[in-house]
Amino acid sequence: MATTIGVVCKPHTTDAVGIAELLLSIVPHARLLVEREGPHALENHNTAYIGVDRTEFEQASDLVVAFGGDGTLIHAASLLTQRVVPVLGVNLGRVGFLAEVLRAELNSLLPRALAGELPYTDRLRLDAKIIRNGAVRLQKRILNDAVVAQLALSRVALYRVNLNDELVTVLRGDGVIIATPTGSTAYSMAAGGSILAPDIAAIALTPICPHALSQRPLVLPIDGIIKVFLDSDSKVFVTLDGQFGQEFQSGDILEITAAPIPLRLLHMPGRSYFEILRKKLSWGES
């Protein structure tokens, strides 16, 4: 049976043909699946690609290769919600913290990825729901974070956070971020949150511009239910992984739980997480 590779490229890529030629030069008889519709669709660029729907993409892929930056890899993760499929991120962007592999490294790494020989981490994901009047208005499985923040310039909002129906805190500020260890190096870090190593089973809770000095970042366990409420009449929006979102009203509930299916992220052998922190985020530099 032919090897099947799911391919995800950043939107409006100008090198779809070159990417197909590169993959087929390494694995000549591979089937290259792409999304049939949407900004990541590629089948119109090259007949080597087979356009399929999201369900077939997930069920048929033996490996997913994401070409782009971290946003492209996050989109690839959103296609893999029901089964564990290894993902190899190839950096075509600027930082490429998650997409750590260089294009020139594919010749040696792709066969090893298909053979199951590359090191990996199973990255925690979160199931996020926005509930209004008892009905789920938006539900997504996310890799990075859920952000509750002001929709526009307005007065400080009041947020209440519960863990397993026990009050954790009430905070005044611009918002709150609930992040996985993967997402802890994104908006959460920029807002002053702690960096969590990717193999830690924990969730980061980070206030955005809190109005009190006592409001500090918090690390929570993954075996509970986190709920965020809006207790003020403010214009607020919830964003999930920077890709999905909707308005959040007083009385709405943002419910967060650990997802049962992680994202399996492949790594370059010998390239450590802390090396990437130092190199790409300048961590520890004086």
Side-chain angles (χ1 to χ4, degrees):
M1 186 171 62
T3 297
T4 300
I5 300 174
V7 180
V8 179
C9 292
K10 62 182 179 180
H12 315 300
T13 182
T14 59
D15 195 25
V17 173
I19 288 170
E21 290 174 348
L22 173 62
L23 292 172
L24 292 175
S25 71
I26 302 169
V27 190
H29 302 295
R31 298 170 65 239
L32 304 182
L33 301 187
V34 296
E35 293 175 83
R36 180 183 293 127
E37 299 177 345
H40 296 271
L42 293 178
E43 73 267 25
N44 293 330
H45 293 276
N46 191 297
T47 55
Y49 295 116
I50 303 170
V52 295
D53 60 25
R54 294 170 67 101
T55 299
E56 185 174 350
F57 185 95
E58 177 175 32
Q59 293 302 318
S61 294
D62 301 308
L63 170 74
V64 170
V65 184
F67 291 85
D70 291 348
T72 304
L73 195 144
I74 289 171
H75 174 74
S78 74
L79 303 176
L80 308 173
T81 60
Q82 302 304 316
R83 60 186 288 254
V84 176
V85 180
V87 177
L88 186 66
V90 181
N91 183 22
L92 301 182
R94 290 177 295 177
V95 178
F97 189 71
L98 296 175
E100 63 179 79
V101 173
L102 301 178
R103 183 166 175 164
E105 297 169 332
L106 266 183
N107 279 302
S108 61
L109 292 184
L110 185 58
R112 296 181 65 184
L114 290 167
E117 296 175 353
L118 291 185
Y120 65 86
T121 54
D122 281 341
R123 299 295 184 99
L124 171 71
R125 294 196 283 181
L126 302 176
D127 285 336
K129 298 179 185 178
I130 299 176
I131 302 169
R132 180 175 299 165
N133 299 323
V136 176
R137 298 293 300 269
L138 180 65
Q139 181 173 357
K140 294 294 179 182
R141 180 158 291 170
I142 58 177
L143 176 64
N144 255 16
D145 53 32
V147 178
V148 189
Q150 295 182 97
L151 182 60
L153 293 175
S154 61
R155 59 190 176 89
V156 172
L158 183 66
Y159 302 93
R160 175 165 42 98
V161 181
N162 285 8
L163 176 64
N164 294 331
D165 294 323
E166 178 183 354
L167 178 65
V168 173
T169 188
V170 175
L171 65 93
R172 293 182 182 274
D174 287 353
V176 62
I177 305 166
I178 301 98
T180 64
T182 300
S184 72
T185 53
Y187 190 9
S188 178
M189 182 189 70
S194 298
I195 295 176
L196 305 182
D199 53 353
I200 291 177
I203 298 171
L205 178 72
T206 306
I208 304 171
C209 298
H211 195 252
L213 291 173
S214 59
Q215 294 288 355
R216 310 302 300 164
L218 182 65
V219 177
L220 297 173
I222 66 169
D223 57 354
I225 301 174
I226 300 170
K227 293 182 180 179
V228 180
F229 306 84
L230 176 64
D231 284 349
S232 60
D233 185 17
S234 307
K235 293 183 178 180
V236 171
F237 201 79
V238 174
T239 305
L240 305 178
D241 265 355
Q243 300 190 356
F244 313 98
Q246 75 166 49
E247 189 175 350
F248 195 65
Q249 303 175 358
S250 179
D252 290 356
I253 304 170
L254 171 62
E255 182 178 290
I256 303 287
T257 56
I261 298 175
L263 177 77
R264 181 157 295 177
L265 187 59
L266 302 180
H267 304 295
M268 177 74 176
R271 187 176 292 162
S272 77
Y273 174 76
F274 298 107
E275 177 187 349
I276 295 171
L277 274 182
R278 293 191 302 269
K279 181 178 180 180
K280 297 194 175 184
L281 297 183
S282 301
W283 183 68
E285 290 187 359
S286 58

